[in-house]
Each structure stands twice: as structure tokens, then as C-alpha cells.
Amino acid sequence: MANILSDVEVIDRIFHHIDNKTTDLGDNDWQEPTSNYSCPDRFAREQALFKRLPLPFCPVAALPDVGSYVARLAAGVPIVAVRGEDGVIRAFRNACRHRGVKLAEGQGCTKSFVCGYHGWMYHLDGRLRHIPAEKGGFPGLDREAHGLVPVTVTERAGLIWVTQEEPVTDGAFADLPDLIGPEQVMIDAVEFEFDVNWKLFAEAGMEGYHIKMTHRESFYPYGFDNLNVIETYGPNSRIIFPFKRIEKLRDVPREDWKIDGLVSSGYHLFPNVMVVMLSHHTAVQIAEPISPTHTKYIRYRLTNRGTDGSPEVIAKAKRDAEFVANTGNIEDRDITLKIQQGIASGANSHFTYGRFEKAIVHFHKSMDRMLAKMN
Ligand code: FES
Ligand SMILES: [Fe+2]
């Protein structure tokens, strides 16, 4: 298990914070240049880094059957992940080996990939299967050399991770807790995009200092303002937001203490993914940076761990997902849009992150360390 607190330790710390009106604090504040949220050169360096990290690509649950595939951008590169006839999940650069047409879009299930231009056909394991009129047009073509181009796939914590180039760091999975179990059912995947740098929306999920101001009607009535347990492990972090209903545990024997359902837990997976465990559903939110000031998001929504995937559980998860999508997420989106617009004002040469914003400071330190390794 990861180097993070047990449920009982987390609950002890939450009760301490409630009783003392405190919250977890970082060791220092941090100044981040605002140009890092708009500069094309910085953006290019980040994209180059992304290619050399294991990037969470989708939940394993998004690829349930032979032939299930997900096609998305990772680090700006079209990638398709697919479950093969042998049950193994592989990923490829999403382009035909004839004249480069992208083969797959979105998600679905297929027996093979067929190019829409001239009909070259590929097996699910990437081997070239068929070339129309091969003998006449391509005599002597080396078929083995013209299969789909693979990228490295790792299955960990219920997620599929894709690494495109020589990794800059090893130990990326050290201390990673189990996040998504096989019992968790995928409900859907929603996509949205807006005009922010990819780091801004991630940061909104990494601190609870804004709960009362930004989420006054949505989250604040059920939770606390600026009361979090914040841990870091490797380049990642976990931010726990307790619900008021956690108070009921004060009458429960400690050996029966469990946090599921009594807190929201946000796991920031460096660099661009948040796995958020909410009351009745779990969201895996992946940022696809498109430009320095534009980001696409895909949010996979699943039932919670330890639930049985029954119609009632799924209905409850859907209601919870819609509540969060229509309230808290919109509030965070609107605030981060205003941050991006505020950056253009030129008022701030840098942002100062305080000691409440410990996970964000950790994120920026990790970014700086990793970017330095690229030089
Ligand atoms: S480009 Fe794919 S078959 Fe020609
Ligand atoms: Fe928020």
C-alpha cells in the first residue's frame, strides 16, 4: 500500500482539524511565474515532458471486451488503446501505415481497424492484416514492418497508462495506491473544452481554501471551508475534503472507521489527471492540453469502489455525477476561466500559493524538477 495515511489516521486528523479549526499546511509558500500559463515555449517543453512520462490514458473499465478501444490525444499525439483477442490491452500511434490517415475516433468496439482511405486493415494486436490489391500495387512490401506503431502500456491502479518515449523518470508508480477496483462500473465519459491552461483547472481540485467562496451553495453546505488532509507521494498528491456527516463516526468504535462516503478524495496523478472519489461516484478526469490557453477534458465516470454495480447503485452514481457536473465543476470552470483572463491583464508577474495550497506547491516543484531533467 502507498505511503499515505490509513482511514483511521485520516479521520483522527480530520477530527483534530474540526476541533481546533485548523487544516493541513505545507512548509512554505511558492511563487509561480504567470507566463508559465500562457507561454508557447513553456507549453512545448511540457508537451515534450508528457511524452516521456507514463500518462494515465483511460480506466481499464473503458476497455471491457475484446475489440474495445479508446482513441484520444496524449501529449498532443493521437493514440488508440485496444483490448486484443488475447485479452491484452495494447496502444498504438493512431495512424495508417500507408499514407497516415487516423484510424480510430472516440471509443467503440471493433474486430479490426480499417483505414477509410484505401482500406488497409490491421489486427487488434497491430499486425497488418490486409492490403487491397497488394500484389499489383505493393509487390515485396514488408508487411511486418508496416504494422501499427506501438507505445508502451502499463496497467496500474485500475488505469491504463501510456508512455510514448524513453521515460525521464523511473519509479513513477512507486507508492501509487489502488484507485479503481474491478467491481467499479463505467457509467459514461463526458468531454468538454475551454480556454484555460491545463494546469489551472487541476489546481482548482487541489485545495479547499476556496470552498466557501466558490462553492457556497453546492459543496459548502455538506462540507467545511479550508479543512483538508493533504498528502504527497512521489510527484502525486491526495487531497481529502471531509463531509459534515463524518461527525457521526465519533460514536462509532475506531476499529470500524472507514472514510468511504464520508469524504471526497482527490488523487492528483502527475501531471494531468485527477481521480476524484465522491459521495456516490468516482471521476477520472484527464486534461489534454491543446494550446497554452486551451484545454480539452475527458471525464470518465464510474460507480464507487466496494459497490456492486446494481441498477440502483448506477442510478445513484449518475445522479451524483450530474449534480457535481452541473454545480461544482461549472463553478471551478468559471473561476479558472477568469484566472486565465486575469493573467492577460498583466497585473501579476507571478502567483503566490500559500501554505493551504500545499498540493499545488508540490505539483509545481515536481514540474520544475521533471522539466529540469529534460535539459
Ligand atoms: S492511407 Fe490508409 S489505406 Fe491508404
Ligand atoms: Fe472547486
PDB file of all heavy atoms in Angstrom, residues 204-205 207 210-211 214-215 219 328 332, ligand 2:
ATOM      1  N   ALA A 204      -7.546  23.831  -9.244  1.00  0.00           N
ATOM      2  CA  ALA A 204      -8.817  24.076  -8.549  1.00  0.00           C
ATOM      3  C   ALA A 204      -9.234  22.860  -7.721  1.00  0.00           C
ATOM      4  O   ALA A 204      -9.960  22.995  -6.730  1.00  0.00           O
ATOM      5  CB  ALA A 204      -9.903  24.434  -9.558  1.00  0.00           C
ATOM      6  N   GLY A 205      -8.774  21.685  -8.108  1.00  0.00           N
ATOM      7  CA  GLY A 205      -9.130  20.479  -7.359  1.00  0.00           C
ATOM      8  C   GLY A 205      -8.147  20.134  -6.266  1.00  0.00           C
ATOM      9  O   GLY A 205      -8.298  19.119  -5.581  1.00  0.00           O
ATOM     10  N   GLU A 207      -7.001  22.208  -3.667  1.00  0.00           N
ATOM     11  CA  GLU A 207      -7.051  22.942  -2.398  1.00  0.00           C
ATOM     12  C   GLU A 207      -8.504  23.183  -1.993  1.00  0.00           C
ATOM     13  O   GLU A 207      -9.388  23.253  -2.843  1.00  0.00           O
ATOM     14  CB  GLU A 207      -6.274  24.259  -2.488  1.00  0.00           C
ATOM     15  CG  GLU A 207      -6.546  25.117  -3.714  1.00  0.00           C
ATOM     16  CD  GLU A 207      -7.628  26.158  -3.530  1.00  0.00           C
ATOM     17  OE1 GLU A 207      -8.252  26.206  -2.449  1.00  0.00           O
ATOM     18  OE2 GLU A 207      -7.873  26.917  -4.488  1.00  0.00           O
ATOM     19  N   HIS A 210     -10.960  27.516  -1.218  1.00  0.00           N
ATOM     20  CA  HIS A 210     -11.977  28.279  -1.956  1.00  0.00           C
ATOM     21  C   HIS A 210     -13.393  27.714  -1.779  1.00  0.00           C
ATOM     22  O   HIS A 210     -14.319  28.161  -2.443  1.00  0.00           O
ATOM     23  CB  HIS A 210     -11.617  28.315  -3.453  1.00  0.00           C
ATOM     24  CG  HIS A 210     -11.779  26.989  -4.164  1.00  0.00           C
ATOM     25  ND1 HIS A 210     -10.863  25.971  -4.076  1.00  0.00           N
ATOM     26  CD2 HIS A 210     -12.777  26.511  -4.960  1.00  0.00           C
ATOM     27  CE1 HIS A 210     -11.274  24.945  -4.811  1.00  0.00           C
ATOM     28  NE2 HIS A 210     -12.442  25.247  -5.342  1.00  0.00           N
ATOM     29  N   ILE A 211     -13.562  26.727  -0.916  1.00  0.00           N
ATOM     30  CA  ILE A 211     -14.850  26.013  -0.860  1.00  0.00           C
ATOM     31  C   ILE A 211     -16.017  26.940  -0.530  1.00  0.00           C
ATOM     32  O   ILE A 211     -17.046  26.937  -1.213  1.00  0.00           O
ATOM     33  CB  ILE A 211     -14.782  24.841   0.159  1.00  0.00           C
ATOM     34  CG1 ILE A 211     -13.787  23.777  -0.309  1.00  0.00           C
ATOM     35  CG2 ILE A 211     -16.170  24.239   0.390  1.00  0.00           C
ATOM     36  CD1 ILE A 211     -14.129  23.085  -1.604  1.00  0.00           C
ATOM     37  N   THR A 214     -16.380  29.878  -3.475  1.00  0.00           N
ATOM     38  CA  THR A 214     -16.690  29.446  -4.848  1.00  0.00           C
ATOM     39  C   THR A 214     -17.844  28.438  -4.887  1.00  0.00           C
ATOM     40  O   THR A 214     -18.612  28.412  -5.845  1.00  0.00           O
ATOM     41  CB  THR A 214     -15.425  28.828  -5.505  1.00  0.00           C
ATOM     42  OG1 THR A 214     -14.372  29.776  -5.423  1.00  0.00           O
ATOM     43  CG2 THR A 214     -15.673  28.465  -6.955  1.00  0.00           C
ATOM     44  N   HIS A 215     -17.951  27.629  -3.832  1.00  0.00           N
ATOM     45  CA  HIS A 215     -18.963  26.550  -3.847  1.00  0.00           C
ATOM     46  C   HIS A 215     -19.975  26.736  -2.719  1.00  0.00           C
ATOM     47  O   HIS A 215     -20.365  25.782  -2.050  1.00  0.00           O
ATOM     48  CB  HIS A 215     -18.268  25.188  -3.722  1.00  0.00           C
ATOM     49  CG  HIS A 215     -17.236  24.925  -4.774  1.00  0.00           C
ATOM     50  ND1 HIS A 215     -17.523  24.896  -6.111  1.00  0.00           N
ATOM     51  CD2 HIS A 215     -15.895  24.679  -4.689  1.00  0.00           C
ATOM     52  CE1 HIS A 215     -16.416  24.631  -6.809  1.00  0.00           C
ATOM     53  NE2 HIS A 215     -15.416  24.513  -5.964  1.00  0.00           N
ATOM     54  N   PHE A 219     -21.079  22.702  -2.652  1.00  0.00           N
ATOM     55  CA  PHE A 219     -20.328  21.786  -1.783  1.00  0.00           C
ATOM     56  C   PHE A 219     -20.305  22.243  -0.327  1.00  0.00           C
ATOM     57  O   PHE A 219     -20.337  21.418   0.589  1.00  0.00           O
ATOM     58  CB  PHE A 219     -18.867  21.638  -2.272  1.00  0.00           C
ATOM     59  CG  PHE A 219     -18.725  21.024  -3.638  1.00  0.00           C
ATOM     60  CD1 PHE A 219     -17.587  21.268  -4.411  1.00  0.00           C
ATOM     61  CD2 PHE A 219     -19.703  20.186  -4.162  1.00  0.00           C
ATOM     62  CE1 PHE A 219     -17.442  20.697  -5.662  1.00  0.00           C
ATOM     63  CE2 PHE A 219     -19.568  19.615  -5.420  1.00  0.00           C
ATOM     64  CZ  PHE A 219     -18.428  19.876  -6.171  1.00  0.00           C
ATOM     65  N   GLY A 328     -20.505  22.178  -8.895  1.00  0.00           N
ATOM     66  CA  GLY A 328     -19.113  22.433  -8.532  1.00  0.00           C
ATOM     67  C   GLY A 328     -18.169  22.539  -9.721  1.00  0.00           C
ATOM     68  O   GLY A 328     -17.304  23.416  -9.757  1.00  0.00           O
ATOM     69  N   ASP A 332     -15.936  25.791 -10.717  1.00  0.00           N
ATOM     70  CA  ASP A 332     -14.476  25.766 -10.882  1.00  0.00           C
ATOM     71  C   ASP A 332     -14.073  26.182 -12.297  1.00  0.00           C
ATOM     72  O   ASP A 332     -13.076  26.881 -12.489  1.00  0.00           O
ATOM     73  CB  ASP A 332     -13.919  24.368 -10.574  1.00  0.00           C
ATOM     74  CG  ASP A 332     -13.873  24.091  -9.081  1.00  0.00           C
ATOM     75  OD1 ASP A 332     -13.694  25.040  -8.306  1.00  0.00           O
ATOM     76  OD2 ASP A 332     -14.011  22.912  -8.694  1.00  0.00           O
TER      77      ASP A 332
HETATM   78 FE    FE B   2     -13.504  23.883  -6.507  1.00  0.00          FE
END
